[in-house]
Amino acid sequence: METAEAGAQAQDAMMQEVEVHLRIKRFDPDVDKRPHWEEYFVKLKPSDTVLTALHTVKWTIDGTLSFRRSCAHGVCGSDAMMINGVNRLGCVNLISDVGTSLVIEPVRGLPVIKDLVVDMEPFFAQYRSVMPYLINADDPGYTERRQSPEDRARFDDTTKCILCGACSTSCPVYWANDQYVGPAAIVNAHRFIFDSRDQARAERLEIMNQKSGVWRCRTAFNCTDACPRGIKVTEAIEEVKRAILYDRS
Ligand code: SF4
Ligand code: F3S
Ligand code: FES
């Protein structure tokens, strides 16, 4: 009975509006020479998301605030941003998770187009450079390409990537060196390197072995901490390094 009451109280608390203070880094290339901070106060429920906080600012206070979003459910990967110093998706972090005082900035390491919107083209160019598609010249005939559950499990973790960029844009090597392909591209290389149906393993490992590839990683682990899909990013990078060293075919 007490437990049910406590549960009901906790649920009530999540529905009580609280004042949320947002400090948002703003930049409009048409009028600003450099970024500046703007502050906003909005009323929200603890169960609301940071994305809802941004929508509330945009729809009720300042319609010029720019940010990307689409699915609002952690699937499309479009709303990675730095929230209180950590890369996160705005749509899956609740006010009750991140607190009522929010400092929101664009992710680092990519050029800012406006406010929280960054130019993702360098990121997607790095993604394209690892050939993120299955390569297999054999005709599968009238059936699918079969794979055992064990072989499928080998790369399961890296199939979960939603290309949000939270990992690459939290990596100190990526910030400092625009030659580094970045952890997100390596995760997507891993996804095919360890796929038993793929026939381009040697070529993929050669790409990863270039000076833009895995050897730039200094095992900082920021990427793993930032990944909203819980992918073991640093471990995937280490697996690719080991494959280059020990089982290049
Ligand atoms: Fe986002 Fe994780 Fe994919 Fe990096 S590995 S792009 S953080 S989903
Ligand atoms: Fe960067 Fe992750 Fe390596 S943060 S240095 S890619 S472990
Ligand atoms: Fe799609 Fe957040 S809006 S992941």
Side-chain angles (χ1 to χ4, degrees):
M1 183 65 181
E2 264 178 31
T3 316
E5 249 172 53
Q9 277 171 7
Q11 213 169 5
D12 280 353
M14 289 295 270
M15 300 308 287
Q16 299 289 324
E17 283 198 333
V18 290
E19 185 169 72
V20 177
H21 173 208
L22 295 105
R23 208 163 169 259
I24 305 177
K25 201 179 220 178
R26 303 287 310 266
F27 175 67
D28 179 348
D30 288 340
V31 293
D32 298 326
K33 284 204 167 56
R34 60 187 68 85
H36 63 281
W37 294 93
E38 298 272 350
E39 305 204 35
Y40 308 93
F41 292 88
V42 291
K43 296 269 190 209
L44 293 166
K45 296 197 238 3
S47 57
D48 284 328
T49 64
V50 174
L51 183 60
T52 300
L54 291 171
H55 277 144
T56 306
V57 171
K58 186 172 179 72
W59 293 336
T60 66
I61 304 175
D62 185 347
T64 68
L65 178 64
S66 298
F67 50 93
R68 280 199 186 97
R69 78 287 192 199
S70 181
C71 71
H73 286 87
V75 177
C76 72
S78 57
D79 63 337
M81 57 190 76
M82 193 182 279
I83 302 169
N84 291 348
V86 179
N87 279 2
R88 309 171 197 247
L89 298 180
C91 65
V92 296
N93 281 276
L94 308 183
I95 299 302
S96 59
D97 298 330
V98 292
T100 53
S101 186
L102 303 178
V103 179
I104 304 182
E105 306 166 61
V107 292
R108 294 187 183 156
L110 292 169
V112 176
I113 296 175
K114 185 171 184 289
D115 298 334
L116 304 177
V117 178
V118 295
D119 181 1
M120 295 293 286
E121 181 45 32
F123 174 84
F124 284 116
Q126 287 145 357
Y127 171 65
R128 289 192 295 270
S129 77
V130 304
M131 306 190 301
Y133 39 82
L134 190 85
I135 297 176
N136 187 326
D138 295 343
D139 181 357
Y142 291 104
T143 181
E144 68 250 56
R145 298 185 196 280
R146 295 255 169 124
Q147 187 168 51
S148 71
E150 293 74 27
D151 283 349
R152 174 62 179 77
R154 186 68 191 82
F155 61 97
D156 186 63
D157 199 34
T158 46
T159 63
K160 296 175 191 155
C161 178
I162 55 172
L163 293 173
C164 67
C167 54
S168 295
T169 57
S170 66
C171 170
V173 181
Y174 189 83
W175 297 334
N177 192 325
D178 62 7
Q179 299 300 305
Y180 180 35
V181 74
I186 301 172
V187 160
N188 286 279
H190 178 287
R191 183 253 170 270
F192 293 101
I193 287 167
F194 292 96
D195 187 334
S196 59
R197 299 164 302 180
D198 192 80
Q199 295 177 335
R201 180 181 171 89
E203 199 183 338
R204 295 181 188 286
L205 292 178
E206 204 44 58
I207 293 170
M208 289 289 100
N209 195 30
Q210 288 169 5
K211 64 179 186 200
S212 56
V214 284
W215 305 112
R216 295 253 182 214
C217 168
R218 293 288 176 267
T219 326
F221 272 95
N222 291 16
C223 52
T224 301
D225 293 344
C227 181
R229 303 286 293 160
I231 296 170
K232 297 183 190 79
V233 180
T234 312
E235 194 174 307
I237 297 170
E238 293 303 306
E239 285 185 351
V240 174
K241 286 179 181 173
R242 281 199 296 274
I244 292 170
L245 289 175
Y246 303 118
D247 51 78
R248 224 170 344 156
S249 52

